[in-house]
Amino acid sequence: MNFRVFDSYEEVSAYSAELLAEVISEKEDAVLGLATGSSPVGMYKELIKLHEEGKLDFSKAKSINLDEYVGLDGSHDQSYRYFMNTNLFDHVNMDKKNTFVPDGTTDDLMEGARKYDELIESMGGIDVQVLGIGPNGHIGFNEPADELKMNTHVAELTEETIQANARFFASEKDVPTRAVTMGVGPIMKAKKIILIASGENKAWAVKSLVDDVITTKIPATLLKLHPDVTVVLDKEAAGML
Ligand code: GLP
């Protein structure tokens, strides 16, 4: 794992955008594994800037997102589809038909999950996967557990995650308790991973990335087995390293 520590969130965002832009420049039809949450917001802003400056062309790129809340459709302002549209897709020349986010509203979530894995497979896997990290070490919505799932599945959110994400909702009881998430399989098979973390509340989870332990109780520790991970941190998130 390659760790990069910056003084500010702005620098974290600019560097992460540079890494992602490099992948698109090398392969115009790259498959981008994208993430939501506050961590990558600044990176998306930087990517939009690069696009507006004529330095980045998304016309052939495809994207596949990690997760979506069960029960929220794309018009809900806390759905991850809405997040992706407003934070990136609406502002760059990406064909929305080439952007994929799991469907959290379909009647048969299991069947939807199975099709999502087929989709990832049919795209030829992921060229670069962007990740945030939960304060408990979750990636996507792969929560700490005795075992982790390889494939896309419906996850029950932990109390800690519900509390952490409540800041985006009117109240904690409005946070969905389940989500459809990519499993750890396609994440670990991604050719390259960029993990972004900022803020003191991530310091514990970030420290677990350097400890000599791999455990499903801290899902992000699995990333130690991946050959090309760049962890991009501000100094608060790097505080316990
Ligand atoms: C959320 C998402 C993750 C995200 C993480 C951290 O629950 N499912 O994909 O990485 O939690 O979010 P944030 O960046 O807002 O701290």
Side-chain angles (χ1 to χ4, degrees):
M1 274 183 169
N2 177 22
F3 286 79
R4 296 295 307 263
V5 182
F6 294 92
D7 284 337
S8 68
Y9 177 66
E10 288 66 33
E11 289 165 277
V12 165
S13 302
Y15 182 71
S16 308
E18 227 175 82
L19 290 179
L20 196 91
E22 237 168 59
V23 175
I24 304 173
S25 305
E26 277 165 20
K27 187 179 177 192
E28 57 179 5
D29 60 347
V31 177
L32 313 174
L34 299 180
T36 53
S38 48
S39 308
V41 168
M43 180 192 71
Y44 293 141
K45 284 207 179 89
E46 289 292 329
L47 290 172
I48 293 167
K49 210 160 85 192
L50 289 174
H51 171 68
E52 286 171 352
E53 289 166 356
K55 294 178 185 155
L56 192 55
D57 175 16
F58 287 89
S59 60
K60 303 232 165 52
K62 295 179 208 122
S63 73
I64 182 111
N65 259 77
L66 283 170
D67 45 18
E68 179 61 282
Y69 287 117
V70 169
L72 304 192
D73 72 28
S75 65
H76 190 291
D77 67 1
Q78 289 310 326
S79 74
Y80 286 168
R81 163 51 79 181
Y82 187 92
F83 174 103
M84 288 311 304
N85 287 350
T86 51
N87 281 287
L88 182 68
F89 302 150
D90 288 345
H91 311 286
V92 296
N93 64 336
M94 204 155 173
D95 187 342
K96 283 239 178 79
K97 287 203 292 294
N98 290 333
T99 69
F100 302 95
V101 179
D103 184 350
T105 59
T106 164
D107 289 340
D108 191 342
L109 290 168
M110 300 297 186
E111 176 62 9
R114 202 185 54 75
K115 287 206 176 120
Y116 206 66
D117 287 319
E118 276 177 13
L119 175 68
I120 300 168
E121 198 71 13
S122 74
M123 291 167 103
I126 297 166
D127 289 299
V128 57
Q129 179 65 56
V130 177
L131 294 175
I133 185 169
N136 62 2
H138 75 223
I139 46 176
F141 271 127
N142 294 282
E143 293 276 35
D146 289 338
E147 51 188 35
L148 295 174
K149 295 240 162 69
M150 280 277 290
N151 295 321
T152 304
H153 59 281
V154 179
E156 299 286 335
L157 306 191
T158 60
E159 193 46 45
E160 195 179 358
T161 296
I162 291 172
Q163 275 169 21
N165 290 359
R167 67 190 193 279
F168 300 114
F169 291 82
S171 77
E172 197 175 312
K173 68 171 177 23
D174 295 317
V175 184
T177 57
R178 295 188 303 156
V180 179
T181 183
M182 210 185 265
V184 292
I187 298 174
M188 289 300 286
K189 283 189 219 150
K191 293 194 185 80
K192 189 183 189 65
I193 295 178
I194 305 169
L195 187 148
I196 305 169
S198 80
E200 209 183 337
N201 70 326
K202 300 293 172 72
W204 179 85
V206 167
K207 181 176 179 292
S208 77
L209 300 176
V210 298
D211 290 343
D212 187 33
V213 170
I214 293 170
T215 170
T216 60
K217 303 272 169 60
I218 313 174
T221 60
L222 239 78
L223 300 173
K224 290 173 201 181
L225 298 172
H226 191 284
D228 187 356
V229 182
T230 306
V231 181
V232 192
L233 305 169
D234 67 5
K235 51 183 191 315
E236 286 76 23
M240 287 168 76
L241 294 183

mmCIF file of all heavy atoms in Angstrom, residues 5-46:
data_model
loop_
_atom_site.group_PDB
_atom_site.id
_atom_site.type_symbol
_atom_site.label_atom_id
_atom_site.label_comp_id
_atom_site.label_asym_id
_atom_site.label_seq_id
_atom_site.Cartn_x
_atom_site.Cartn_y
_atom_site.Cartn_z
ATOM 1 N N VAL A 5 0.163 11.483 2.406
ATOM 2 C CA VAL A 5 -0.470 12.337 3.431
ATOM 3 C C VAL A 5 -0.330 13.802 3.017
ATOM 4 O O VAL A 5 0.768 14.243 2.667
ATOM 5 C CB VAL A 5 0.188 12.115 4.813
ATOM 6 C CG1 VAL A 5 -0.512 12.965 5.880
ATOM 7 C CG2 VAL A 5 0.139 10.635 5.202
ATOM 8 N N PHE A 6 -1.446 14.524 3.058
ATOM 9 C CA PHE A 6 -1.445 15.939 2.666
ATOM 10 C C PHE A 6 -1.951 16.810 3.817
ATOM 11 O O PHE A 6 -2.637 16.333 4.718
ATOM 12 C CB PHE A 6 -2.340 16.138 1.436
ATOM 13 C CG PHE A 6 -1.805 15.462 0.208
ATOM 14 C CD1 PHE A 6 -2.196 14.163 -0.116
ATOM 15 C CD2 PHE A 6 -0.894 16.095 -0.625
ATOM 16 C CE1 PHE A 6 -1.694 13.519 -1.241
ATOM 17 C CE2 PHE A 6 -0.380 15.470 -1.751
ATOM 18 C CZ PHE A 6 -0.781 14.180 -2.061
ATOM 19 N N ASP A 7 -1.592 18.095 3.762
ATOM 20 C CA ASP A 7 -1.986 19.025 4.830
ATOM 21 C C ASP A 7 -3.484 19.301 4.835
ATOM 22 O O ASP A 7 -4.060 19.550 5.877
ATOM 23 C CB ASP A 7 -1.241 20.364 4.673
ATOM 24 C CG ASP A 7 0.198 20.232 5.143
ATOM 25 O OD1 ASP A 7 0.471 19.319 5.942
ATOM 26 O OD2 ASP A 7 1.035 21.036 4.691
ATOM 27 N N SER A 8 -4.079 19.301 3.651
ATOM 28 C CA SER A 8 -5.485 19.720 3.598
ATOM 29 C C SER A 8 -6.323 18.769 2.747
ATOM 30 O O SER A 8 -5.797 18.025 1.898
ATOM 31 C CB SER A 8 -5.574 21.116 2.981
ATOM 32 O OG SER A 8 -5.221 21.032 1.613
ATOM 33 N N TYR A 9 -7.633 18.859 2.973
ATOM 34 C CA TYR A 9 -8.587 18.062 2.185
ATOM 35 C C TYR A 9 -8.524 18.464 0.703
ATOM 36 O O TYR A 9 -8.670 17.616 -0.180
ATOM 37 C CB TYR A 9 -10.000 18.260 2.741
ATOM 38 C CG TYR A 9 -11.059 17.544 1.946
ATOM 39 C CD1 TYR A 9 -11.111 16.154 1.896
ATOM 40 C CD2 TYR A 9 -12.015 18.261 1.213
ATOM 41 C CE1 TYR A 9 -12.077 15.490 1.146
ATOM 42 C CE2 TYR A 9 -12.983 17.613 0.464
ATOM 43 C CZ TYR A 9 -13.010 16.228 0.433
ATOM 44 O OH TYR A 9 -13.974 15.576 -0.315
ATOM 45 N N GLU A 10 -8.279 19.747 0.444
ATOM 46 C CA GLU A 10 -8.191 20.228 -0.946
ATOM 47 C C GLU A 10 -7.055 19.508 -1.677
ATOM 48 O O GLU A 10 -7.201 19.096 -2.823
ATOM 49 C CB GLU A 10 -7.951 21.750 -1.000
ATOM 50 C CG GLU A 10 -9.142 22.609 -0.607
ATOM 51 C CD GLU A 10 -9.546 22.471 0.854
ATOM 52 O OE1 GLU A 10 -8.650 22.264 1.713
ATOM 53 O OE2 GLU A 10 -10.762 22.537 1.142
ATOM 54 N N GLU A 11 -5.917 19.363 -0.989
ATOM 55 C CA GLU A 11 -4.791 18.671 -1.627
ATOM 56 C C GLU A 11 -5.087 17.184 -1.813
ATOM 57 O O GLU A 11 -4.702 16.589 -2.819
ATOM 58 C CB GLU A 11 -3.517 18.849 -0.784
ATOM 59 C CG GLU A 11 -2.964 20.263 -0.823
ATOM 60 C CD GLU A 11 -1.954 20.491 0.296
ATOM 61 O OE1 GLU A 11 -2.386 20.778 1.431
ATOM 62 O OE2 GLU A 11 -0.759 20.352 0.031
ATOM 63 N N VAL A 12 -5.764 16.597 -0.825
ATOM 64 C CA VAL A 12 -6.182 15.185 -0.941
ATOM 65 C C VAL A 12 -7.033 15.018 -2.197
ATOM 66 O O VAL A 12 -6.837 14.096 -2.999
ATOM 67 C CB VAL A 12 -6.997 14.760 0.316
ATOM 68 C CG1 VAL A 12 -7.742 13.449 0.083
ATOM 69 C CG2 VAL A 12 -6.090 14.665 1.532
ATOM 70 N N SER A 13 -7.968 15.944 -2.384
ATOM 71 C CA SER A 13 -8.908 15.859 -3.508
ATOM 72 C C SER A 13 -8.187 16.029 -4.833
ATOM 73 O O SER A 13 -8.439 15.285 -5.791
ATOM 74 C CB SER A 13 -9.982 16.949 -3.372
ATOM 75 O OG SER A 13 -10.647 16.795 -2.142
ATOM 76 N N ALA A 14 -7.277 17.007 -4.895
ATOM 77 C CA ALA A 14 -6.567 17.283 -6.146
ATOM 78 C C ALA A 14 -5.700 16.082 -6.530
ATOM 79 O O ALA A 14 -5.679 15.655 -7.694
ATOM 80 C CB ALA A 14 -5.719 18.539 -6.010
ATOM 81 N N TYR A 15 -5.028 15.499 -5.544
ATOM 82 C CA TYR A 15 -4.148 14.359 -5.841
ATOM 83 C C TYR A 15 -4.978 13.139 -6.282
ATOM 84 O O TYR A 15 -4.622 12.454 -7.253
ATOM 85 C CB TYR A 15 -3.286 14.013 -4.625
ATOM 86 C CG TYR A 15 -2.339 12.880 -4.907
ATOM 87 C CD1 TYR A 15 -1.243 13.058 -5.752
ATOM 88 C CD2 TYR A 15 -2.541 11.612 -4.360
ATOM 89 C CE1 TYR A 15 -0.380 12.006 -6.041
ATOM 90 C CE2 TYR A 15 -1.677 10.564 -4.637
ATOM 91 C CZ TYR A 15 -0.599 10.770 -5.476
ATOM 92 O OH TYR A 15 0.248 9.730 -5.767
ATOM 93 N N SER A 16 -6.086 12.885 -5.596
ATOM 94 C CA SER A 16 -6.940 11.743 -5.958
ATOM 95 C C SER A 16 -7.470 11.917 -7.378
ATOM 96 O O SER A 16 -7.528 10.952 -8.153
ATOM 97 C CB SER A 16 -8.122 11.610 -4.993
ATOM 98 O OG SER A 16 -7.676 11.589 -3.669
ATOM 99 N N ALA A 17 -7.870 13.151 -7.701
ATOM 100 C CA ALA A 17 -8.389 13.425 -9.055
ATOM 101 C C ALA A 17 -7.303 13.164 -10.096
ATOM 102 O O ALA A 17 -7.572 12.599 -11.161
ATOM 103 C CB ALA A 17 -8.886 14.866 -9.151
ATOM 104 N N GLU A 18 -6.087 13.544 -9.765
ATOM 105 C CA GLU A 18 -4.960 13.320 -10.679
ATOM 106 C C GLU A 18 -4.793 11.817 -10.963
ATOM 107 O O GLU A 18 -4.619 11.406 -12.107
ATOM 108 C CB GLU A 18 -3.694 13.798 -9.966
ATOM 109 C CG GLU A 18 -2.761 14.664 -10.753
ATOM 110 C CD GLU A 18 -1.647 15.137 -9.827
ATOM 111 O OE1 GLU A 18 -0.703 14.361 -9.616
ATOM 112 O OE2 GLU A 18 -1.763 16.258 -9.274
ATOM 113 N N LEU A 19 -4.865 11.015 -9.891
ATOM 114 C CA LEU A 19 -4.711 9.561 -10.048
ATOM 115 C C LEU A 19 -5.803 8.982 -10.948
ATOM 116 O O LEU A 19 -5.544 8.163 -11.827
ATOM 117 C CB LEU A 19 -4.774 8.858 -8.690
ATOM 118 C CG LEU A 19 -3.612 9.060 -7.720
ATOM 119 C CD1 LEU A 19 -3.872 8.292 -6.433
ATOM 120 C CD2 LEU A 19 -2.301 8.582 -8.347
ATOM 121 N N LEU A 20 -7.040 9.443 -10.732
ATOM 122 C CA LEU A 20 -8.160 8.926 -11.521
ATOM 123 C C LEU A 20 -8.043 9.400 -12.973
ATOM 124 O O LEU A 20 -8.267 8.628 -13.913
ATOM 125 C CB LEU A 20 -9.490 9.372 -10.910
ATOM 126 C CG LEU A 20 -10.672 8.569 -11.424
ATOM 127 C CD1 LEU A 20 -10.914 7.376 -10.509
ATOM 128 C CD2 LEU A 20 -11.931 9.404 -11.489
ATOM 129 N N ALA A 21 -7.672 10.668 -13.138
ATOM 130 C CA ALA A 21 -7.544 11.244 -14.483
ATOM 131 C C ALA A 21 -6.473 10.498 -15.281
ATOM 132 O O ALA A 21 -6.630 10.268 -16.486
ATOM 133 C CB ALA A 21 -7.214 12.729 -14.398
ATOM 134 N N GLU A 22 -5.412 10.104 -14.607
ATOM 135 C CA GLU A 22 -4.343 9.345 -15.260
ATOM 136 C C GLU A 22 -4.889 8.066 -15.896
ATOM 137 O O GLU A 22 -4.529 7.720 -17.016
ATOM 138 C CB GLU A 22 -3.338 8.915 -14.186
ATOM 139 C CG GLU A 22 -1.920 9.353 -14.412
ATOM 140 C CD GLU A 22 -1.101 9.124 -13.147
ATOM 141 O OE1 GLU A 22 -1.014 7.963 -12.693
ATOM 142 O OE2 GLU A 22 -0.580 10.125 -12.609
ATOM 143 N N VAL A 23 -5.759 7.381 -15.139
ATOM 144 C CA VAL A 23 -6.336 6.127 -15.651
ATOM 145 C C VAL A 23 -7.150 6.402 -16.912
ATOM 146 O O VAL A 23 -7.023 5.688 -17.912
ATOM 147 C CB VAL A 23 -7.225 5.440 -14.575
ATOM 148 C CG1 VAL A 23 -7.918 4.211 -15.139
ATOM 149 C CG2 VAL A 23 -6.385 5.074 -13.356
ATOM 150 N N ILE A 24 -7.966 7.475 -16.882
ATOM 151 C CA ILE A 24 -8.810 7.789 -18.050
ATOM 152 C C ILE A 24 -7.937 8.217 -19.238
ATOM 153 O O ILE A 24 -8.228 7.894 -20.384
ATOM 154 C CB ILE A 24 -9.844 8.889 -17.720
ATOM 155 C CG1 ILE A 24 -10.693 8.464 -16.515
ATOM 156 C CG2 ILE A 24 -10.746 9.185 -18.923
ATOM 157 C CD1 ILE A 24 -11.626 9.531 -15.984
ATOM 158 N N SER A 25 -6.858 8.927 -18.944
ATOM 159 C CA SER A 25 -5.977 9.377 -20.035
ATOM 160 C C SER A 25 -5.306 8.186 -20.710
ATOM 161 O O SER A 25 -5.088 8.178 -21.910
ATOM 162 C CB SER A 25 -4.889 10.308 -19.521
ATOM 163 O OG SER A 25 -5.463 11.364 -18.834
ATOM 164 N N GLU A 26 -4.997 7.164 -19.911
ATOM 165 C CA GLU A 26 -4.342 5.984 -20.476
ATOM 166 C C GLU A 26 -5.325 5.066 -21.192
ATOM 167 O O GLU A 26 -4.970 4.346 -22.101
ATOM 168 C CB GLU A 26 -3.643 5.192 -19.364
ATOM 169 C CG GLU A 26 -2.276 5.759 -19.039
ATOM 170 C CD GLU A 26 -1.734 5.235 -17.723
ATOM 171 O OE1 GLU A 26 -2.204 4.177 -17.248
ATOM 172 O OE2 GLU A 26 -0.852 5.911 -17.158
ATOM 173 N N LYS A 27 -6.588 5.088 -20.724
ATOM 174 C CA LYS A 27 -7.593 4.184 -21.304
ATOM 175 C C LYS A 27 -8.905 4.958 -21.355
ATOM 176 O O LYS A 27 -9.587 5.076 -20.335
ATOM 177 C CB LYS A 27 -7.711 2.945 -20.396
ATOM 178 C CG LYS A 27 -8.576 1.861 -20.951
ATOM 179 C CD LYS A 27 -8.640 0.659 -20.015
ATOM 180 C CE LYS A 27 -9.580 -0.382 -20.558
ATOM 181 N NZ LYS A 27 -9.892 -1.419 -19.582
ATOM 182 N N GLU A 28 -9.271 5.456 -22.533
ATOM 183 C CA GLU A 28 -10.431 6.361 -22.596
ATOM 184 C C GLU A 28 -11.746 5.666 -22.239
ATOM 185 O O GLU A 28 -12.678 6.302 -21.760
ATOM 186 C CB GLU A 28 -10.517 7.054 -23.962
ATOM 187 C CG GLU A 28 -10.580 6.077 -25.123
ATOM 188 C CD GLU A 28 -10.689 6.772 -26.465
ATOM 189 O OE1 GLU A 28 -10.617 8.014 -26.512
ATOM 190 O OE2 GLU A 28 -10.866 6.055 -27.467
ATOM 191 N N ASP A 29 -11.810 4.339 -22.446
ATOM 192 C CA ASP A 29 -13.057 3.645 -22.095
ATOM 193 C C ASP A 29 -12.925 2.904 -20.750
ATOM 194 O O ASP A 29 -13.514 1.847 -20.547
ATOM 195 C CB ASP A 29 -13.484 2.688 -23.208
ATOM 196 C CG ASP A 29 -12.434 1.624 -23.483
ATOM 197 O OD1 ASP A 29 -11.287 1.771 -23.000
ATOM 198 O OD2 ASP A 29 -12.765 0.642 -24.183
ATOM 199 N N ALA A 30 -12.147 3.475 -19.860
ATOM 200 C CA ALA A 30 -11.917 2.856 -18.545
ATOM 201 C C ALA A 30 -13.227 2.650 -17.786
ATOM 202 O O ALA A 30 -14.184 3.416 -17.945
ATOM 203 C CB ALA A 30 -10.985 3.744 -17.724
ATOM 204 N N VAL A 31 -13.247 1.590 -16.982
ATOM 205 C CA VAL A 31 -14.379 1.350 -16.076
ATOM 206 C C VAL A 31 -13.996 1.920 -14.711
ATOM 207 O O VAL A 31 -13.039 1.462 -14.072
ATOM 208 C CB VAL A 31 -14.696 -0.164 -15.961
ATOM 209 C CG1 VAL A 31 -15.820 -0.392 -14.950
ATOM 210 C CG2 VAL A 31 -15.072 -0.736 -17.325
ATOM 211 N N LEU A 32 -14.741 2.944 -14.299
ATOM 212 C CA LEU A 32 -14.437 3.634 -13.051
ATOM 213 C C LEU A 32 -15.348 3.103 -11.957
ATOM 214 O O LEU A 32 -16.572 3.184 -12.066
ATOM 215 C CB LEU A 32 -14.669 5.140 -13.208
ATOM 216 C CG LEU A 32 -14.087 5.799 -14.473
ATOM 217 C CD1 LEU A 32 -14.534 7.261 -14.559
ATOM 218 C CD2 LEU A 32 -12.566 5.691 -14.462
ATOM 219 N N GLY A 33 -14.787 2.547 -10.923
ATOM 220 C CA GLY A 33 -15.575 2.122 -9.768
ATOM 221 C C GLY A 33 -15.691 3.333 -8.845
ATOM 222 O O GLY A 33 -14.688 3.829 -8.351
ATOM 223 N N LEU A 34 -16.902 3.825 -8.661
ATOM 224 C CA LEU A 34 -17.038 5.092 -7.928
ATOM 225 C C LEU A 34 -17.721 4.907 -6.578
ATOM 226 O O LEU A 34 -18.445 3.938 -6.348
ATOM 227 C CB LEU A 34 -17.803 6.097 -8.787
ATOM 228 C CG LEU A 34 -17.108 6.445 -10.117
ATOM 229 C CD1 LEU A 34 -17.940 7.448 -10.900
ATOM 230 C CD2 LEU A 34 -15.686 6.973 -9.904
ATOM 231 N N ALA A 35 -17.456 5.868 -5.708
ATOM 232 C CA ALA A 35 -17.958 5.810 -4.332
ATOM 233 C C ALA A 35 -18.686 7.105 -3.992
ATOM 234 O O ALA A 35 -18.451 8.146 -4.618
ATOM 235 C CB ALA A 35 -16.778 5.625 -3.372
ATOM 236 N N THR A 36 -19.528 7.016 -2.993
ATOM 237 C CA THR A 36 -20.244 8.203 -2.510
ATOM 238 C C THR A 36 -19.708 8.558 -1.123
ATOM 239 O O THR A 36 -18.657 8.076 -0.719
ATOM 240 C CB THR A 36 -21.755 7.911 -2.457
ATOM 241 O OG1 THR A 36 -21.920 6.709 -1.690
ATOM 242 C CG2 THR A 36 -22.333 7.716 -3.844
ATOM 243 N N GLY A 37 -20.434 9.399 -0.409
ATOM 244 C CA GLY A 37 -19.963 9.840 0.904
ATOM 245 C C GLY A 37 -19.227 11.158 0.765
ATOM 246 O O GLY A 37 -18.970 11.626 -0.356
ATOM 247 N N SER A 38 -18.863 11.753 1.880
ATOM 248 C CA SER A 38 -18.235 13.078 1.825
ATOM 249 C C SER A 38 -16.787 13.003 1.337
ATOM 250 O O SER A 38 -16.285 13.965 0.744
ATOM 251 C CB SER A 38 -18.314 13.763 3.192
ATOM 252 O OG SER A 38 -17.899 12.862 4.194
ATOM 253 N N SER A 39 -16.117 11.867 1.537
ATOM 254 C CA SER A 39 -14.686 11.789 1.195
ATOM 255 C C SER A 39 -14.363 12.117 -0.266
ATOM 256 O O SER A 39 -13.441 12.893 -0.520
ATOM 257 C CB SER A 39 -14.125 10.416 1.557
ATOM 258 O OG SER A 39 -14.435 10.108 2.888
ATOM 259 N N PRO A 40 -15.090 11.539 -1.247
ATOM 260 C CA PRO A 40 -14.699 11.810 -2.642
ATOM 261 C C PRO A 40 -15.301 13.083 -3.256
ATOM 262 O O PRO A 40 -15.009 13.388 -4.411
ATOM 263 C CB PRO A 40 -15.208 10.572 -3.385
ATOM 264 C CG PRO A 40 -16.350 10.068 -2.590
ATOM 265 C CD PRO A 40 -16.134 10.504 -1.175
ATOM 266 N N VAL A 41 -16.117 13.831 -2.488
ATOM 267 C CA VAL A 41 -16.794 15.008 -3.069
ATOM 268 C C VAL A 41 -15.788 15.987 -3.682
ATOM 269 O O VAL A 41 -15.965 16.480 -4.803
ATOM 270 C CB VAL A 41 -17.677 15.718 -2.005
ATOM 271 C CG1 VAL A 41 -18.140 17.073 -2.489
ATOM 272 C CG2 VAL A 41 -18.882 14.854 -1.654
ATOM 273 N N GLY A 42 -14.711 16.273 -2.951
ATOM 274 C CA GLY A 42 -13.701 17.215 -3.431
ATOM 275 C C GLY A 42 -13.011 16.700 -4.682
ATOM 276 O O GLY A 42 -12.700 17.460 -5.603
ATOM 277 N N MET A 43 -12.792 15.382 -4.736
ATOM 278 C CA MET A 43 -12.167 14.790 -5.927
ATOM 279 C C MET A 43 -13.079 14.970 -7.140
ATOM 280 O O MET A 43 -12.614 15.302 -8.229
ATOM 281 C CB MET A 43 -11.899 13.301 -5.701
ATOM 282 C CG MET A 43 -11.264 12.654 -6.904
ATOM 283 S SD MET A 43 -11.244 10.860 -6.820
ATOM 284 C CE MET A 43 -12.975 10.498 -7.058
ATOM 285 N N TYR A 44 -14.394 14.775 -6.945
ATOM 286 C CA TYR A 44 -15.318 14.964 -8.062
ATOM 287 C C TYR A 44 -15.283 16.410 -8.545
ATOM 288 O O TYR A 44 -15.305 16.678 -9.747
ATOM 289 C CB TYR A 44 -16.741 14.527 -7.670
ATOM 290 C CG TYR A 44 -16.859 13.028 -7.425
ATOM 291 C CD1 TYR A 44 -17.637 12.510 -6.393
ATOM 292 C CD2 TYR A 44 -16.179 12.125 -8.242
ATOM 293 C CE1 TYR A 44 -17.726 11.137 -6.172
ATOM 294 C CE2 TYR A 44 -16.258 10.755 -8.023
ATOM 295 C CZ TYR A 44 -17.035 10.269 -6.990
ATOM 296 O OH TYR A 44 -17.105 8.913 -6.782
ATOM 297 N N LYS A 45 -15.203 17.358 -7.603
ATOM 298 C CA LYS A 45 -15.122 18.785 -7.987
ATOM 299 C C LYS A 45 -13.882 19.023 -8.853
ATOM 300 O O LYS A 45 -13.941 19.735 -9.849
ATOM 301 C CB LYS A 45 -15.021 19.665 -6.732
ATOM 302 C CG LYS A 45 -16.330 19.821 -5.996
ATOM 303 C CD LYS A 45 -16.334 21.165 -5.235
ATOM 304 C CE LYS A 45 -17.649 21.369 -4.498
ATOM 305 N NZ LYS A 45 -17.635 20.815 -3.134
ATOM 306 N N GLU A 46 -12.770 18.423 -8.450
ATOM 307 C CA GLU A 46 -11.517 18.585 -9.206
ATOM 308 C C GLU A 46 -11.639 17.962 -10.594
ATOM 309 O O GLU A 46 -11.121 18.505 -11.575
ATOM 310 C CB GLU A 46 -10.346 17.920 -8.461
ATOM 311 C CG GLU A 46 -9.924 18.640 -7.207
ATOM 312 C CD GLU A 46 -9.278 19.996 -7.497
ATOM 313 O OE1 GLU A 46 -8.635 20.133 -8.555
ATOM 314 O OE2 GLU A 46 -9.436 20.903 -6.666
#
